[in-house]
Every structure is written in structure tokens, then in C-alpha cells.
Amino acid sequence: MGFYGIIDSGVGGLTILRQITQSGNLNLTYIADHAFCPYGLKPNKIIFQRVSKLVNYLQLHGADGAVLACNTASVYAPLLKEIYRIPIYDVITPTCKAVLDGNVRRVALLATKSTISNGMYKQILQQNGVQVVNFDCSAFVPFVEQCSTDSVQCFQTIDSALSALPQANADAVILGCTHFPLLRRQIAYYCGDSKIVECRCPLSASFAAEDKPAVQPVLLTTGDANLANAAASWYGNVSFKHIDL
Ligand code: DGL
């Protein structure tokens, strides 16, 4: 049974973990880097150092692979692959593939400032003839982490970021942050007939052949375990443990 580590800044990557647990009999450790959450507005250097540290931890603990279940972190996959010997999977590549498999010419990318400025989505999609219109939605992440997705402030923040989305005339809207499926209902209000594309799991295809249920994942946070449990209550019965990293 393979051992895989799944990394995000917080609880958003659980949306990817859920896809992985449905796809095979794997031994999984999820690391939420709450001590540095949110990633999306931090300098590149800090995000890279953190993600590198987490991948290093997984490699030292015998992981067979590391999944960057975070778009903001995913842009560093090529660099990390040069440093570490374990396979490293990003979520942007399979998500772009899902977009390109559809009949899509123009997309709206909802993502963090960092994901947008690092340009990995734009590069892959434009090379394949798809136009990309960016929407900086970095400010959405704390509402998910603070369990306040139905607050007035959250609705106001979404409204100011997405009021121009209907005019973008996008065939598809990419939820280019793993936290955003937890705001899908609120975001959908601005999407009209555009298809909503959530981040895809990079492992599903490779492990689809395994039909045994996965063992219970180990959940770790570099922050407060109680706060992490509260933020992840939508996932089911979760029990995060603190880890110093
Ligand atoms: N969930 C992450 C992403 O997909 C990071 C969000 C953040 O920490 O800003 O981009």
C-alpha cells in the first residue's frame, strides 16, 4: 500500500484528499500548514520555503509521493521535482486537462493573487488556445478557515471580487483554489451558465484501478488542532494533530 502526503495551507486541500480516498487503498497523511495560512498573499520565497519543508518532511518519513493539494503551492512543483526524489504532483495540470477536455474557449480563473501572478494556468491554457480572464479571490480563503462562509462580510467580499464575472463571458469558471469548492454555492450566483470546474486530483486516474477503501488518513496541522477541526467539520469526523514544522 502506497504512502502519500497531501499538502495545503489549510483545510481546502481536503477537497482533494476526499477524491484520493475514493480512488484507492492508500496510506495518507494530510498536512495543513495553518501556521503560514493563507499562502495566497505571501511572497513567493516564503511559500516555496514552506512547501519545500513539508515535502522534505514527507520524503524523510518514507512517503512514496507528495500531492500539492494547493494551487498556490502547485506552481513550485517543477522546482521541487528537481530537489526531491519522491514524485511530486500538482493540481493545476489535471485541472487544466479537465478544462481542455471540454469545449471551452474562454475561462475565468478564480484564484489567489500568487497563483494568478505565477501564471501557470495562463501558460498551459493559452498555449492550447483558451483565453484566460483572472479574478483575484485571495480574500475568500480566511472565511473558509474561520467557518464564516455565510457571514455578511464573506458575501460582500465575494461580491466585490466577482461583480464583473458575468461580463467576462466565460464558458467555464475555474475554482483555482482548493478552498473555493467550500464557497461553491456563493460563487455560483455569479457564474450564470458558465460551467464550474473544481480542482482535479492528480492521483485519481493513476489509482482508479485499486478498489479497496483507503485507511483513515492522518491529519496534521502546523497550527491549532482545535481550530483546524472546526474549519474541517464539513469533511466529517476529523481529528487533526499539531505538528511543529
Ligand atoms: N488552497 C490553496 C490554493 O489552492 C491556498 C489558499 C491560500 O492559502 O491562500 O491556492
Side-chain angles (χ1 to χ4, degrees), residues 33-60:
D33 194 14
H34 279 117
F36 282 77
C37 185
Y39 278 175
L41 291 168
K42 296 212 163 52
N44 288 339
K45 193 173 161 198
I46 303 277
I47 304 167
F48 176 73
Q49 281 172 348
R50 288 304 299 169
V51 179
S52 181
K53 192 166 195 174
L54 303 183
V55 172
N56 187 44
Y57 170 87
L58 290 168
Q59 181 167 288
L60 287 175

Side-chain angles (χ1 to χ4, degrees), residues 72-190:
T72 312
S74 284
V75 302
Y76 301 105
L79 214 49
L80 293 165
K81 283 176 188 173
E82 286 177 21
I83 301 172
Y84 296 100
R85 63 169 192 280
I86 57 171
I88 293 167
Y89 304 88
D90 72 274
V91 287
I92 295 181
T93 308
T95 306
C96 286
K97 185 175 181 313
V99 169
L100 296 171
D101 285 346
N103 188 17
V104 172
R105 305 193 77 95
R106 188 172 162 88
V107 298
L109 171 65
L110 278 49
T112 65
K113 187 170 183 227
S114 179
T115 301
I116 291 170
S117 67
N118 283 318
M120 187 166 165
Y121 272 106
K122 199 167 191 168
Q123 197 189 345
I124 300 174
L125 293 172
Q126 284 192 347
Q127 264 171 10
N128 287 280
V130 176
Q131 283 184 314
V132 181
V133 188
N134 295 313
F135 289 82
D136 178 355
C137 300
S138 311
F140 296 3
V141 174
F143 293 107
V144 173
E145 292 294 339
Q146 290 157 15
C147 313
S148 53
T149 53
D150 280 321
S151 64
V152 174
Q153 291 92 324
C154 182
F155 282 102
Q156 284 171 344
T157 302
I158 292 176
D159 191 64
S160 72
L162 299 184
S163 56
L165 181 55
Q167 287 83 59
N169 290 323
D171 305 313
V173 174
I174 303 176
L175 304 189
C177 169
T178 53
H179 283 73
F180 296 170
L182 302 162
L183 289 163
R184 187 179 168 122
R185 177 172 43 86
Q186 294 86 330
I187 292 170
Y189 177 77
Y190 300 86

